[in-house]
């Protein structure tokens, strides 16, 4: 039985496609969906993550959604353990797991043969203290010296990932290899399908969704999450949309500025996600510029039957 992945950049139509595909494969009796979205792990982060409401899931079980509180730190290593347990349980029940998401490292951590190095709180505290005292310069120099490949490929402006990479390097004495998956499947039968849209259509979808999120209560949702510790969260508080909404609440941005910032940040994210998945030659791409999810699901079904 195959493990199916539906991947691609944000706002490319993955959610609608995954539901149509699940229906085509037999619906709730035959399929369960495993989310590979790092921010949909968090309870209460609904509007800003475009999380599909339970009433719209067509009775299909969705796993790896609403499993963390906003104060918890998400990690690809923890996700790998729990998501693989979910996939194994779905397969054992004779159902098809459909992995859906755009968080590239989470998809690879679940489906590929990746080993994530352990953690060391003391080392992390040292790195975070150095970052706070002297800025990113010393950490960037250490990363360039110890792991040039990671230095070239990573988003060096992301302080959390910079600290994590150096923590892993110091713990293991080896390069930070989880950033560079070898695309070697953990499961014996994996099929990956990528949803993509033309750049104009994708940017329009991103802009439209940002405006809809703000109009649908993102600021109010964020205010409630701040009461539960969102602002101090090491991961959830940095999520696109919520960071801007907190800036609105704190008077640092106007609504219009927040929406513009969300659009720009989401476009940058979509480019990174596309680059990540384009590097994986296993991905079979489907053009969803027209938004026709039933047609794309039919293409996947025919591709699966042909092999």
């Amino acid at each position: 039985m195959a493990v199916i992945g539906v991947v691609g950049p944000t706002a490319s139509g993955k959610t609608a496609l995954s539901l149509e595909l699940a229906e085509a494969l037999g619906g709730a009796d035959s399929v369960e969906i495993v989310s590979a979205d790092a921010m949909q792990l968090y309870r209460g982060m609904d509007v800003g993550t475009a999380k599909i409401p339970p009433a719209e899931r067509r009775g299909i079980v969705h796993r790896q959604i609403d499993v963390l509180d906003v104060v918890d730190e998400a990690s690809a290593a923890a996700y790998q353990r729990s998501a693989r347990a979910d996939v194994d349980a779905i397969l054992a029940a004779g159902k098809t797991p459909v992995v859906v998401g755009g968080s590239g490292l989470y998809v690879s951590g679940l489906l590929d043969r990746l080993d994530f190095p352990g953690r060391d709180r003391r080392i992390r505290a040292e790195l975070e203290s150095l970052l706070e005292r002297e800025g990113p310069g010393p950490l960037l120099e250490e990363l360039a010296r110890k792991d040039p490949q990671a230095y070239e490929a990573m988003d060096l402006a992301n302080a959390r990932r910079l600290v994590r990479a150096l923590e892993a390097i110091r713990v293991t004495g080896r390069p930070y290899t989880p950033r560079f998956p070898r695309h070697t499947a953990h499961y014996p039968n994996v099929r990956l399908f990528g949803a993509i849209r033309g750049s104009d259509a994708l940017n329009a979808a991103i802009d439209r969704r940002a405006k809809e999120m703000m109009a649908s209560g993102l600021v109010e949702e964020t205010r409630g999450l701040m009461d539960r510790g969102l602002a101090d969260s090491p991961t959830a508080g940095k999520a696109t949309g919520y960071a801007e909404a907190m800036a609105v609440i704190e008077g640092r941005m106007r609504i219009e500025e927040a929406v513009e910032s969300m659009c720009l940040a989401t476009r940058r994210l979509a480019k990174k996600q596309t680059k990540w998945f384009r590097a994986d030659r296993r991905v079979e791409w489907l053009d969803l510029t027209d938004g026709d999810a039933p047609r794309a699901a039919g293409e996947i079904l025919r591709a699966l039957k042909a092999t």
Side-chain angles (χ1 to χ4, degrees):
M1 187 174 296
V3 178
I4 300 170
V6 176
V7 301
T10 186
S12 60
K14 297 185 300 296
T15 297
L17 175 56
S18 68
L19 288 172
E20 293 294 339
L21 177 61
E23 292 275 21
L25 291 170
D29 292 334
S30 303
V31 176
E32 294 188 21
I33 289 173
V34 180
S35 171
D37 184 310
M39 292 301 125
Q40 290 194 3
L41 293 167
Y42 288 104
R43 285 182 282 268
M45 291 177 64
D46 302 329
V47 175
T49 65
K51 190 182 295 177
I52 184 169
E56 297 178 16
R57 295 175 189 172
R58 307 186 189 184
I60 297 164
V61 172
H62 282 60
R63 301 189 185 223
Q64 295 302 311
I65 291 178
D66 295 335
V67 297
L68 297 178
D69 291 324
V70 292
V71 294
D72 296 331
E73 182 175 7
S75 76
Y79 172 82
Q80 181 188 64
R81 292 191 296 271
S82 57
R84 281 186 178 176
D86 283 342
V87 170
D88 292 344
I90 295 167
L91 291 170
K95 296 183 177 182
T96 299
V98 177
V99 177
V100 184
S103 297
L105 188 58
Y106 280 52
V107 172
S108 294
L110 170 54
L111 298 180
D112 291 338
R113 294 180 186 173
L114 294 188
D115 294 321
F116 292 97
R119 294 176 177 267
D120 187 308
R121 292 183 179 180
R122 180 186 59 80
I123 290 175
R124 193 191 316 178
E126 289 177 358
L127 292 166
E128 290 173 343
S129 177
L130 179 59
L131 178 67
E132 185 175 354
R133 291 195 318 270
E134 302 184 31
L139 276 65
L140 291 170
E141 291 175 6
E142 182 178 348
L143 183 65
R145 185 175 68 255
K146 293 182 175 179
D147 193 345
Q149 188 181 11
Y151 182 84
E152 289 296 325
M154 279 180 57
D155 176 8
L156 300 178
N158 189 323
R160 185 178 67 84
R161 288 189 176 175
L162 177 59
V163 167
R164 174 61 185 136
L166 286 172
E167 177 191 6
I169 290 168
R170 289 188 182 186
V171 167
T172 65
R174 300 192 303 273
Y176 183 48
T177 52
R179 292 295 301 175
F180 312 106
R182 294 169 296 176
H183 302 147
T184 302
H186 170 74
Y187 293 96
N189 189 8
V190 173
R191 293 290 296 273
L192 294 176
F193 297 92
I196 197 68
R197 283 176 167 166
S199 59
D200 289 344
L202 182 63
N203 288 338
I206 288 171
D207 294 352
R208 182 171 58 252
R209 191 167 72 174
K211 293 174 183 176
E212 290 173 352
M213 286 176 175
M214 196 62 74
S216 298
L218 177 60
V219 171
E220 292 75 14
E221 179 176 272
T222 302
R223 186 175 282 112
L225 292 170
M226 289 175 73
D227 292 338
R228 290 157 51 185
L230 178 66
D232 298 321
S233 170
T235 46
K238 309 299 188 299
T240 299
Y242 293 95
E244 288 81 2
M246 284 192 285
V248 170
I249 292 167
E250 294 167 356
R252 295 182 282 110
M253 275 188 183
R254 294 181 291 109
I255 290 288
E256 296 79 7
E257 294 173 325
V259 171
E260 183 178 358
S261 177
M262 288 168 61
C263 292
L264 290 174
T266 306
R267 288 182 184 187
R268 287 194 296 268
L269 173 62
K271 287 181 180 178
K272 291 177 184 176
Q273 291 172 320
T274 301
K275 182 178 180 180
W276 178 286
F277 292 116
R278 284 289 190 193
D280 189 343
R281 295 182 180 179
R282 297 170 300 177
V283 177
E284 302 169 54
W285 291 96
L286 302 157
D287 189 343
L288 272 173
T289 299
D290 61 2
D292 190 346
R295 184 264 307 158
E299 291 182 21
I300 293 177
L301 199 60
R302 287 191 290 275
L304 292 171
K305 289 180 177 179
T307 56

